[in-house]
Amino acid sequence: MYRCNTHVYATAAARARMGLSAAPTGIAAEGIGAARATAAARAASASGNRAWGPVAEVLATLRVYHDLSKFKLSAFVVSTAAAGYVLGSGEVIDWEQLGWTSLGTMLCSSSANTWNQIFEIKNDSVMARTMRRPLPSGRCSVAHAALFGVVTGMAGVGLLREKANDTTAALGAGNVALYALCYTPMKRVHWLNTWAGAVVGAVPPLMGWAAAREGAIEPASGVLAAALYFWQMPHFMALAYMAKDDYVRGGYRMLSHPSSDPTGRRLAGVAMRNSLYMFPLGALAVGCGLTTAPFAYEAALLAAPMALSAAVFYRRPSVANARNMFYGSLLYLPAFQALACVHRVPRTVGEVDPLRITVPKERWWAWSEWSVDGWRGFRDLNGMGDVMHGATAAPFPFLPPPIWPSTADARCPHRAECEGGDGDDGRVSRR
């Protein structure tokens, strides 16, 4: 059993041998005081809790499950899956299926977080921000936590398969494995673990989309996944900097480790670059036919404060600047998701629409007129001339010739072979 020990912070010499600052800073300093206060409150209320008997035990068990699942984090993951579902829905949103998809996602996330804590008991027991979790504090046994992880994982995947489809269930199961078996052990090996964790975070929106689209994963679904991926970099780089002493003490190889980035500028550079990558996401959403044109401008405005806070953090790495960037990131993503849902373009029910990239014929700003069927401002192929005519021939004999959006004005070079007529003068009829 691992106890909440605070004596590990006692001497500056011991901290220096571990590569830590002379005194606890940031989250580590805050966590020490919180851990001591929690221990004192728990001891003071122990006799009172015993008077409640079974009720207190039930409440304590529910609290353990709450903490094992990292409830707030899992609820946030559910919000991203729900946003993916709404964006992938047609004119009418199936609220019942959305509820089942959200519950299945919640269970899968709870399982992944539970296994993460099982594998990191020793590490969590010496970190100020994690030593109060159920396993290192002794509130729960490993066997109990493992049973909870198995039950929630199987229930989540089974529910997604029954109420959604196989694709959504496979994404849920794969993400549990990726989080528990890839990201978690990587944290103790290499700072690239953050990039692996970003992939994990980008999957739930695809789960929601697949649930709404009968298992289809289309290019437009990648917009919200990309937003999650890029957003996680400034968010977790800020957290890694604020808790860098804690991460070193726990044996984690984050980018904020003194051996990887003693000044913090390298970490801040990663945060700033990925903040800049968020600027074109709104335009990409419009281009993919995911949202209407106003979202392009709104998304860019949302990204501006994130990029500004990251630039300030890069110019002067400090706990205060990292905290500003961290709290700013908590506001960005919910706003991005909400605005995307407000401006969404309903998907075509029962039809999977490929991403078609064409060039507007008249106005250069016609990119804002995209729909799920392609650009509205581009209706024929006459302007492309012989170039498009030659491109209708398949480059390989085992591939069919491509069918262009405006088939009424496209000439087919194979019509003479099929019908015995003049292929240059004929027109392709719509199938």
Side-chain angles (χ1 to χ4, degrees):
M1 183 180 295
Y2 300 93
R3 300 293 182 184
C4 299
N5 298 321
T6 56
H7 69 272
V8 295
Y9 310 101
T11 66
R15 294 177 59 80
R17 286 195 297 271
M18 299 172 66
L20 306 178
S21 56
T25 59
I27 290 178
E30 298 169 2
I32 294 171
R36 288 170 175 166
T38 301
R42 188 175 297 152
S45 61
S47 58
N49 286 342
R50 282 193 292 269
W52 286 89
V55 175
E57 292 181 5
V58 171
L59 293 177
T61 301
L62 291 177
R63 181 66 185 180
V64 166
Y65 294 155
H66 175 280
D67 293 345
L68 284 176
S69 66
K70 300 181 185 177
F71 185 82
K72 292 181 180 179
L73 175 60
S74 293
F76 176 79
V77 170
V78 169
S79 75
T80 65
Y85 186 95
V86 172
L87 291 174
S89 298
E91 291 285 352
V92 179
I93 298 173
D94 188 341
W95 297 105
E96 180 181 354
Q97 189 183 48
L98 172 58
W100 288 118
T101 302
S102 298
L103 179 57
T105 304
M106 183 73 176
L107 291 170
C108 288
S109 178
S110 299
S111 177
N113 288 323
T114 299
W115 288 109
N116 168 265
Q117 294 180 61
I118 291 173
F119 296 145
E120 295 181 346
I121 302 176
K122 292 183 178 180
N123 308 80
D124 286 349
S125 66
V126 296
M127 293 179 61
R129 61 183 291 265
T130 59
M131 60 173 54
R132 288 166 290 164
R133 288 177 176 173
L135 291 170
S137 65
R139 291 187 287 131
C140 175
S141 67
V142 174
H144 191 169
L147 179 62
F148 179 74
V150 169
V151 170
T152 53
M154 293 181 65
V157 174
L159 190 62
L160 291 174
R161 187 175 186 276
E162 179 67 23
K163 297 296 185 179
N165 48 67
D166 291 343
T167 302
T168 307
L171 287 172
N175 220 30
V176 173
L178 185 62
Y179 188 82
L181 302 179
C182 180
Y183 167 70
T184 297
M186 276 189 69
K187 289 168 66 178
R188 298 187 290 273
V189 178
H190 201 278
W191 48 260
L192 283 176
N193 67 80
T194 305
W195 279 257
V199 173
V200 173
V203 171
L206 300 180
M207 294 170 60
W209 182 281
R213 299 291 289 164
E214 299 181 352
I217 300 294
E218 299 161 282
S221 64
V223 175
L224 189 54
L228 263 294
Y229 182 89
F230 295 140
W231 168 84
Q232 286 176 94
M233 291 303 174
H235 177 81
F236 283 107
M237 291 301 167
L239 180 61
Y241 189 87
M242 290 189 293
K244 60 182 178 180
D245 284 2
D246 239 5
Y247 280 124
V248 171
R249 186 180 305 107
Y252 295 123
R253 304 291 297 188
M254 312 303 288
L255 187 57
S256 58
H257 195 283
S259 64
S260 301
D261 186 18
T263 65
R265 292 293 294 274
R266 186 181 181 187
L267 175 148
V270 172
M272 186 170 68
R273 284 195 301 274
N274 284 271
S275 296
L276 295 177
Y277 296 156
M278 293 189 286
F279 272 100
L281 289 176
L284 184 60
V286 175
C288 291
L290 187 65
T291 64
T292 55
F295 180 70
Y297 308 102
E298 295 168 353
L301 290 175
L302 281 177
M306 279 289 297
L308 179 61
S309 63
V312 172
F313 179 51
Y314 179 78
R315 184 173 180 270
R316 185 180 178 183
S318 67
V319 172
N321 289 334
R323 184 178 287 110
N324 291 336
M325 185 171 65
F326 179 81
Y327 286 121
S329 68
L330 295 178
L331 298 176
Y332 169 84
L333 196 61
F336 182 93
Q337 294 179 154
L339 288 172
C341 292
V342 168
H343 295 292
R344 76 184 184 95
V345 175
R347 315 308 293 177
T348 304
V349 178
E351 179 182 350
V352 177
D353 299 306
L355 177 64
R356 303 185 206 172
I357 301 177
T358 52
V359 180
K361 184 178 180 180
E362 298 174 354
R363 302 185 303 277
W364 62 270
W365 62 85
W367 62 270
S368 63
E369 298 184 7
W370 261 35
S371 70
V372 293
D373 296 319
W375 258 306
R376 297 192 183 98
F378 187 57
R379 290 303 186 190
D380 58 66
L381 303 177
N382 290 335
M384 301 296 290
D386 292 335
V387 174
M388 190 64 72
H389 169 64
T392 57
F396 302 104
F398 52 86
L399 293 178
I403 298 175
W404 302 100
S406 300
T407 54
D409 295 317
R411 293 176 294 176
C412 176
H414 308 293
R415 185 167 182 175
E417 301 174 11
C418 299
E419 301 181 4
D422 187 356
D424 290 335
D425 295 333
R427 301 292 183 185
V428 179
S429 62
R430 292 186 183 272
R431 295 186 177 94

